[in-house]
Amino acid sequence: MTATAPASVATPVGESLRRWREVRRLSQLELSLRAEISTRHLSFVETGRSRPSREMVLRLAGPLDLPLRERNRLLLAAGYAPAYPETALAAPRMAAVRAAVRQVLAGHEPYPAAVVDRGWHLVDANRSLGLLTDLVAPELLAGPVNVLRVSLHPDGLAPHIANLGEWRGHLLSRLGRQIELTGDAELAALEEELRGYPCEDREPVVELPGPGEIVVPLRLRHDGGELVFLSTIATFGTPLDVTLAELSIESFYPADEHTAAVLRARAWRLDG
C-alpha cells in the first residue's frame, strides 16, 4: 500500500512541509536550492522557529510539486487564506470549461471517452462509453460512479477483460503514483479496496511490453469478438482552479480495424 503525505490542516505548516519534502525524497539542501532560500531559513520554517510568509509557502510548494489542493492546505495551516479557488463545474464561470470538455467528448465519437475527477468519479462521458458500461452491474452505476471500481470489481468490467492482470496492474500503478503525488487518504483507501478484489490472472510487478506491444492495451471480450483499445489522458495545461486541475479526460482508441468496425457499427445503430 502506498504511503500518504500529510493532508490535515491541523498539522503545523513546518511539519507538513518537512513531511512533504521527505515524501519527495529531497534533502533540506536540495529543496532550499530549488526554492532559492537558505538551508538555515528552511530549517527554521520546518521546526516552527520561523513563520513562513504566504509567498514563502507557495515558493516552497512549487519545487515540492504539490497539487493546488495541497497548496491551499499548506496556506491554511500557515494561517493564510487559500490562493486557488475551487469552483463547481456547473458554475457560470466554468461555462467555457464545460464547452471544451463536451467538444472533446463529442469529437471523439464513435470511440469511448470519459471525464473523471481527482477521486476517479465519473463526471461526464460520451455516448460511446455505453459499450463499456452496458457490461456493468446496475448497482455499480448508481450514485457517484467510480471508474476504477467499475473497471476492477467482479460485477463490473473485470470478468470481461481478457488481460485483467495486466490491466489491473496498470490501473493500480497509476493510482499508486497519484497517491504519492497527492497524499490523498481517500485514494489510499480506494487502493486498498481495489487490491482486495479477486483476480486469477498474474499481475505484473513491472509493466513490460508484450510481443508487438508499445502500450498497455485494454482487451475486452465482446459479442463481436475481442476488442482492443489504447487509451490517452488529457488535462488542462494551465489550471488555476482546484476543480479544473483535478479533471482529466480518458479517451479510448481502437487498436485494430475489427474494434473500429464494431464501434462504427454500434454508433450507426444508435443513430437509427
Side-chain angles (χ1 to χ4, degrees):
M1 185 172 170
T2 308
T4 60
S8 174
V9 171
T11 304
V13 63
E15 182 180 337
S16 291
L17 284 167
R18 176 182 59 79
R19 291 176 60 189
W20 271 117
R21 176 175 60 77
E22 292 172 348
V23 167
R24 296 293 187 257
R25 298 178 176 86
L26 294 174
S27 67
Q28 281 191 341
L29 177 60
E30 289 171 321
L31 179 55
S32 62
L33 287 173
R34 295 185 187 187
E36 298 182 338
I37 64 173
S38 70
T39 306
R40 178 184 176 87
H41 189 183
L42 177 59
S43 177
F44 277 21
V45 168
E46 288 189 351
T47 58
R49 295 179 63 183
S50 176
R51 179 178 180 238
S53 67
R54 176 185 174 90
E55 292 72 21
M56 181 58 65
V57 172
L58 294 175
R59 189 171 182 174
L60 291 168
L64 287 172
D65 195 24
L66 298 188
L68 301 189
R69 182 180 297 276
E70 306 310 322
R71 298 184 192 208
N72 278 346
R73 284 174 170 161
L74 278 181
L75 287 168
L76 287 170
Y80 303 109
Y84 304 98
E86 184 175 357
T87 310
L89 192 58
R93 64 179 295 186
M94 299 289 270
V97 172
R98 294 194 303 273
V101 167
R102 287 307 310 170
Q103 184 175 359
V104 171
L105 293 176
H108 195 63
E109 296 281 6
Y111 309 143
V115 183
V116 298
D117 63 14
R118 167 190 176 111
W120 292 84
H121 298 109
L122 186 65
V123 175
D124 201 353
N126 65 7
R127 185 179 62 174
S128 294
L129 193 72
L131 178 82
L132 307 180
T133 56
D134 287 349
L135 302 173
V136 175
E139 56 268 23
L140 290 176
L141 301 176
V145 178
N146 187 284
V147 298
L148 291 186
R149 185 176 293 116
V150 164
S151 296
L152 301 182
H153 195 283
D155 294 327
L157 281 178
H160 306 279
I161 299 176
N163 61 331
L164 178 59
E166 183 182 37
W167 187 248
R168 170 188 164 103
H170 166 67
L171 292 183
L172 291 177
S173 176
R174 279 175 57 184
L175 179 58
R177 289 193 295 270
Q178 184 184 3
I179 294 169
E180 186 174 355
L181 176 65
T182 65
D184 192 304
E186 291 185 9
L187 289 179
L190 175 63
E191 179 190 35
E192 185 174 5
E193 174 192 336
L194 298 177
R195 290 194 180 279
Y197 291 166
C199 178
E200 296 181 358
D201 293 356
R202 186 181 67 84
E203 182 182 321
V205 178
V206 178
E207 292 180 354
L208 292 173
E213 290 181 353
I214 55 175
V215 298
V216 177
L218 171 62
R219 299 184 179 278
L220 194 68
R221 299 185 186 95
H222 188 263
D223 292 342
E226 185 176 279
L227 306 181
V228 187
F229 295 93
L230 312 178
S231 66
T232 64
I233 301 171
T235 59
F236 285 85
T238 54
L240 293 175
D241 184 281
V242 174
T243 300
L244 187 58
E246 295 177 351
L247 285 181
S248 60
I249 305 174
E250 182 144 13
S251 304
F252 292 88
Y253 293 83
D256 56 33
E257 180 52 35
H258 169 71
T259 303
V262 169
L263 292 168
R264 289 193 298 266
R266 181 180 183 277
W268 183 81
R269 290 195 303 271
L270 291 175
D271 289 336

